[in-house]
């Protein structure tokens, strides 16, 4: 994986944000609904409608005993004192069938109070006064005709329609609550569930095809971490399986040479050379033991403990130097790791033995990273080295380089670096090959330092 990884929100924070959003929406709608329905639940719509248009009906009843001029003066005074009243010359009455329930309730209440054989004509007109109020159910005004032919229009408050139709308001509240909940759950499904589904599909694909694509590292922080861990596990499993397949193929190929020699000796004239046969058997034993050891290193459980890497490296260097090789160690006095000492000792021994086999001098150095979270053990020899292409292939099981670096057939089979890489990666580290100056090979082994070590 390359590039900068973007951190996703943890699932816990996403769920908190989801719940908070739903809670805020539901609380706001509930407050509005409570204000609209306060004191009206259970009240008959007729009684509520009579209450709502009472300013109009009361004013007209009081002016019935007045003459026309006095009525006009009273209406003008009413309009001046109450902005809900308006006088219009021609009122465009709405058909009853086109009215929402509040309009029908207004009309019925007005006709009941003001109507009759000699009553005042009453109708409903459309008003555009409270268009933007959320709980307005029909912008209606009730119009009563004056004796001069003009119409006196009264527009109830924006809360009035909601008081008339509480059941409708409850349905509206329910809808307003369901919409954000459904939208939030759809968002949660896309944001939280979809990455998990993609991870599951990647796992299922890998179970059927070892060459399947990696799981996409998208989604929340936890899903990204899980996807990253799955991809790492997948890469290691594929490497291990490929290594075993390559090992079996290499054993089958390399065993043919000693077996052919043994067959030719046994089929030749005269008695077979016993020492030659024993030498071929020894070659086969070493080859099989090396292959089995390589396979075990990738499967055996690590026995981790706190160890001093500096002391371990110094001990390995001293042991190999005691055999007459020029091996030196330079590094800090103490670097603690949480690792398997036996496995690390074997990895380091393999690397140093390669160095003394192909060169005359090996320099081992140990250094901590700038942030003290990892330690790098560098093994540099003065041998012929490896080309760039050969350094890439050197970690393959049973790979051996050109004649200058090829060991005798009965002493090595190209598993040293493969084993070292396996052990290093199982400890959460990495291993790399480089070029030494003026000539030779550099093996850099980087391992994580135990927490709390400076």
């Amino acid at each position: 994986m390359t590039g900068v990884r973007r951190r996703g929100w943890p699932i816990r924070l996403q769920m908190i944000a989801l719940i908070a959003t739903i809670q805020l929406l539901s609380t706001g709608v509930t407050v509005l609904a409570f204000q609209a329905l306060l004191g009206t639940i259970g009240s008959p719509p007729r009684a509520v409608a009579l209450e709502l248009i009472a300013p109009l009906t009361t004013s007209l009843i009081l002016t019935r005993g007045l003459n026309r001029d006095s009525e006009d003066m009273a209406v003008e005074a009413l309009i001046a004192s109450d902005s809900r009243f308006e006088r219009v010359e021609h009122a465009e009455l709405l058909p009853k069938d086109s009215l929402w329930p509040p309009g029908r309730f207004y009309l019925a209440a007005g006709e009941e109070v003001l109507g009759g054989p000699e009553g005042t004509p009453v109708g409903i007109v459309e008003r555009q006064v409270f268009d933007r109020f959320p709980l307005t159910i029909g912008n209606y005004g009730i119009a009563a005709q004056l004796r001069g032919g003009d119409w006196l229009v009264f527009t109830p408050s924006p809360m009035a329609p909601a008081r008339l139709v509480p059941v409708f308001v409850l349905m509206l509240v329910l809808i307003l609550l369901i919409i954000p909940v459904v939208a939030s759950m759809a968002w949660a499904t896309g944001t939280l569930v979809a990455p998990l589904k993609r991870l599951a599909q990647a796992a299922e694909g890998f179970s059927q095809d070892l060459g399947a694509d990696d799981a996409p590292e998208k989604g929340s922080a936890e899903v990204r971490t899980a996807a990253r861990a799955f991809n790492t596990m997948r890469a290691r499993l594929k490497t291990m399986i490929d290594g075993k397949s390559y090992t079996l193929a290499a054993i089958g190929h390399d065993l043919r040479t000693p077996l052919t020699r043994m067959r030719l000796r046994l089929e030749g004239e005269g008695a077979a050379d016993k020492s030659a046969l024993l030498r071929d058997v020894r070659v086969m034993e070493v080859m099989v033991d090396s292959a089995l050891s390589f396979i075990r290193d990738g499967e055996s459980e690590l026995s981790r403990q706190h160890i001093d890497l500096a002391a371990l490296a110094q001990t390995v260097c001293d042991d190999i130097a005691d055999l007459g090789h020029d091996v030196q160690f330079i590094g800090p006095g103490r670097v603690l790791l949480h690792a398997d000492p036996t496995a690390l000792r074997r990895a380091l021994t393999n690397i140093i033995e390669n160095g003394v086999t192909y060169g005359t001098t090996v320099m081992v150095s140990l250094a901590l990273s700038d942030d003290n979270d990892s330690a790098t053990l560098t093994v540099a020899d003065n041998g012929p080295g490896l080309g760039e292409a050969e350094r890439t292939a050197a970690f393959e099981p049973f790979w051996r380089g050109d004649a200058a670096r090829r060991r005798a057939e009965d002493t090595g089979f190209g598993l040293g670096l493969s084993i070292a890489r396996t052990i290093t990666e199982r400890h959460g580290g990495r291993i790399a090959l480089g070029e030494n100056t003026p000539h030779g090979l550099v093996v850099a082994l980087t391992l994580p330092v135990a927490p709390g070590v400076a």
Side-chain angles (χ1 to χ4, degrees):
M1 295 294 172
T2 59
V4 178
R5 293 191 179 102
R6 295 180 298 173
R7 293 178 58 85
W9 279 25
I11 292 179
R12 179 179 298 178
L13 290 182
Q14 294 192 27
M15 294 305 298
I16 291 175
L18 174 63
I19 296 173
T21 302
I22 296 176
Q23 186 64 40
L24 288 174
L25 290 173
S26 61
T27 300
V29 174
T30 302
V31 169
L32 292 175
F34 180 79
Q35 292 177 349
L37 299 176
L38 183 63
T40 64
I41 296 178
S43 301
R46 174 179 171 277
V48 176
L50 289 173
E51 176 189 345
L52 294 175
I53 68 170
L56 175 65
T57 56
T58 302
S59 300
L60 292 179
I61 289 174
L62 292 177
T63 60
R64 277 182 175 178
L66 302 177
N67 57 35
R68 179 175 175 180
D69 292 337
S70 298
E71 181 187 55
D72 289 342
M73 294 177 59
V75 169
E76 293 300 326
L78 179 63
I79 294 174
S81 62
D82 193 336
S83 61
R84 294 176 294 176
F85 288 91
E86 184 181 1
R87 186 169 186 167
V88 297
E89 184 176 353
H90 300 289
E92 297 182 2
L93 302 182
L94 298 174
K96 183 176 181 180
D97 294 341
S98 66
L99 301 177
W100 287 69
R104 296 184 184 183
F105 290 139
Y106 293 155
L107 183 60
E111 289 176 345
E112 179 180 345
V113 177
L114 301 175
E118 299 180 359
T120 302
V122 178
I124 299 297
V125 297
E126 184 175 1
R127 306 294 288 160
Q128 302 296 332
V129 182
F130 307 112
D131 278 346
R132 297 183 180 180
F133 192 78
L135 293 182
T136 298
I137 308 172
N139 293 286
Y140 296 140
I142 180 168
Q145 192 172 34
L146 301 175
R147 276 179 283 184
D150 291 345
W151 292 81
L152 180 63
V153 179
F154 173 73
T155 304
S157 67
M159 284 291 191
R163 293 183 62 195
L164 274 170
V165 197
V167 174
F168 183 91
V169 174
L170 288 176
M171 293 176 61
L172 180 63
V173 170
L174 183 61
I175 292 173
L176 292 178
L177 285 175
I178 289 177
I179 291 175
V181 169
V182 172
S184 300
M185 293 308 297
W187 169 80
T189 301
T191 304
L192 305 179
V193 178
L196 292 175
K197 184 177 180 180
R198 289 194 293 266
L199 178 58
Q201 290 173 344
E204 183 177 359
F206 178 63
S207 67
Q208 299 174 357
D209 181 11
L210 296 180
D213 294 335
D214 287 347
E217 297 181 14
K218 298 180 180 180
S220 64
E222 290 82 357
V223 174
R224 290 172 183 240
T225 301
R228 196 172 302 123
F230 169 79
N231 290 335
T232 301
M233 177 194 69
R234 172 189 171 279
R236 289 179 178 175
L237 283 175
K238 189 174 186 304
T239 300
M240 183 179 67
I241 293 173
D242 291 344
K244 288 185 177 181
S245 300
Y246 190 87
T247 300
L248 292 175
I251 291 176
H253 178 272
D254 289 356
L255 282 178
R256 292 177 182 176
T257 300
L259 287 174
T260 300
R261 285 200 302 261
M262 294 175 67
R263 180 174 59 82
L264 291 176
R265 289 191 178 101
L266 292 173
E267 291 179 351
E269 296 181 1
D273 186 350
K274 183 177 180 180
S275 61
L277 290 175
L278 290 176
R279 186 168 57 251
D280 288 336
V281 170
R282 185 168 64 251
V283 170
M284 296 169 63
E285 289 177 345
V286 172
M287 184 184 300
V288 173
D289 288 343
S290 298
L292 293 176
S293 179
F294 170 70
I295 294 175
R296 284 196 300 267
D297 285 333
E299 296 180 345
S300 61
E301 183 177 355
L302 296 176
S303 179
R304 293 178 181 265
Q305 56 185 279
H306 279 82
I307 64 172
D308 183 359
L309 181 59
L312 177 65
Q314 182 68 70
T315 301
V316 174
C317 290
D318 291 342
D319 291 344
I320 298 178
D322 290 341
L323 299 177
H325 300 292
D326 185 4
V327 180
Q328 301 179 34
F329 172 75
I330 300 175
R334 184 177 176 84
V335 176
L336 290 182
L337 303 182
H338 188 61
D340 186 330
T342 303
L344 279 187
R345 183 185 182 91
R346 183 177 185 199
L348 184 55
T349 300
N350 286 346
I351 296 172
I352 297 177
E353 285 183 345
N354 281 344
V356 298
T357 299
Y358 306 126
T360 58
T361 301
V362 173
M363 179 64 67
V364 181
S365 59
L366 178 62
L368 285 169
S369 61
D370 293 338
D371 51 7
N372 294 326
D373 65 348
S374 64
T376 299
L377 195 63
T378 303
V379 181
D381 65 52
N382 63 346
L386 289 174
E388 185 174 351
E390 290 180 314
R391 290 199 293 269
T392 302
F395 291 112
E396 296 297 331
F398 293 97
W399 183 89
R400 282 170 287 188
D402 56 25
R405 296 188 62 90
R406 190 170 300 153
R407 301 174 66 175
E409 188 182 39
D410 60 344
T411 58
F413 298 93
L415 290 173
L417 288 177
S418 298
I419 293 173
R421 182 181 66 173
T422 300
I423 294 174
T424 302
E425 291 181 346
R426 293 191 65 194
H427 281 84
R430 61 185 182 276
I431 187 171
L433 302 181
E435 183 179 359
N436 196 13
T437 304
H439 55 81
L441 183 68
V442 174
V443 183
L445 191 154
T446 303
L447 294 165
V449 173
V453 177

